[in-house]
Amino acid sequence: PGVPKEKVAIDLEDNVLTISGQHSEEKVEDGEKFHHVERSYGSFRRAFRLPEGVSAENVEAKYNEGVLDVRVAKPSPQTPKSTRISLN
């Protein structure tokens, strides 16, 4: 929360979903005999390995009032293929 939408990036590469961003804040307080400025800033990055079969089309993200909601659709289960090999 508190990170602007423009400073958040979501990437999917080689089944790794990466969420990164930067935040900065500045507080200025002026009094009769003082001037106080407080700055804080930093960056974050989180990476999650997704199951095989997830494609970028199955990932959707929404940003609402400072909350990021990322949803990944489950990949359809793949049945193992069996092939009969003939003997010569």
Side-chain angles (χ1 to χ4, degrees):
V3 178
K5 179 180 177 179
E6 298 79 28
K7 294 192 176 190
V8 175
I10 304 170
D11 300 303
L12 179 61
E13 185 177 338
D14 296 330
N15 279 5
V16 177
L17 180 71
T18 305
I19 301 171
S20 59
Q22 295 181 345
H23 60 87
S24 61
E25 184 178 0
E26 182 174 309
K27 294 179 185 177
V28 178
E29 190 177 337
D30 285 321
E32 194 173 303
K33 295 185 178 184
F34 68 92
H35 176 75
H36 179 78
V37 178
E38 186 175 325
R39 293 181 184 101
S40 66
Y41 55 91
S43 62
F44 62 90
R45 179 185 165 124
R46 300 289 182 268
F48 307 93
R49 180 161 301 280
L50 299 179
E52 291 295 324
V54 173
S55 66
E57 292 84 30
N58 294 338
V59 179
E60 77 175 48
K62 294 180 183 176
Y63 189 88
N64 187 17
E65 296 182 19
V67 177
L68 178 64
D69 182 19
V70 179
R71 295 180 184 242
V72 180
K74 259 184 165 176
S76 58
Q78 297 182 3
T79 56
K81 293 182 179 180
S82 63
T83 305
R84 182 163 293 234
I85 299 172
S86 61
L87 296 172
N88 291 334

